[in-house]
Amino acid sequence: MSITVNILYSGEGSSAQDFAQEMLDSGTVSKIRAEAGNLRYAYFQPLDDPQSILLIDEWTDEAAIELHHKSDMMTRIAELRQKYHLRMKVTRYQEMEKEK
């Protein structure tokens, strides 16, 4: 059962876009995508909200998320969030097992 986490990063001006670009340019996104259990890590721009960036982050299971949360990547993400003065709205979805 995969787990998808949507994080809407919002800030002033282009700060959310700048954050996402620095995540990509610094190689942090590539490192996260290479972590065991990561299925998707992608940024999207909402058409009706130019001051926000949506991250869709998908993992195989809770154990993979917990390992990610203990990784050096989380420190880097927190530093960049602070640098760009971002707010976050987090929504989490868990795939349900299909009934037989």
Side-chain angles (χ1 to χ4, degrees), residues 39-75:
L39 300 173
R40 183 179 194 187
Y41 197 92
Y43 292 105
F44 298 88
Q45 173 70 59
L47 294 176
D48 62 346
D49 187 0
Q51 293 185 320
S52 296
I53 286 287
L54 174 65
L55 168 64
I56 299 179
D57 190 12
E58 187 176 1
W59 298 87
T60 53
D61 54 26
E62 187 64 37
I65 292 174
E66 288 177 15
L67 283 175
H68 170 62
H69 285 166
K70 293 177 184 176
S71 75
D72 293 339
M73 297 305 108
M74 291 305 294
T75 301

Side-chain angles (χ1 to χ4, degrees), residues 6-38:
N6 289 355
I7 304 175
L8 186 67
Y9 291 105
S10 300
E12 299 298 318
S14 66
S15 61
Q17 292 85 355
D18 296 342
F19 162 81
Q21 193 63 57
E22 187 165 345
M23 286 284 292
L24 288 161
D25 292 346
S26 69
T28 303
V29 169
S30 295
K31 290 176 185 174
I32 293 169
R33 288 176 178 158
E35 289 183 299
N38 184 264

Side-chain angles (χ1 to χ4, degrees), residues 54-97:
L54 174 65
L55 168 64
I56 299 179
D57 190 12
E58 187 176 1
W59 298 87
T60 53
D61 54 26
E62 187 64 37
I65 292 174
E66 288 177 15
L67 283 175
H68 170 62
H69 285 166
K70 293 177 184 176
S71 75
D72 293 339
M73 297 305 108
M74 291 305 294
T75 301
R76 180 67 178 144
I77 293 167
E79 290 170 353
L80 290 177
R81 268 196 337 251
Q82 186 174 26
K83 174 182 176 179
Y84 290 104
H85 307 285
L86 298 179
R87 299 176 303 280
M88 295 182 352
K89 179 181 176 187
V90 180
T91 309
R92 182 179 168 131
Y93 304 93
Q94 185 164 343
E95 183 179 32
M96 296 178 61
E97 287 188 38

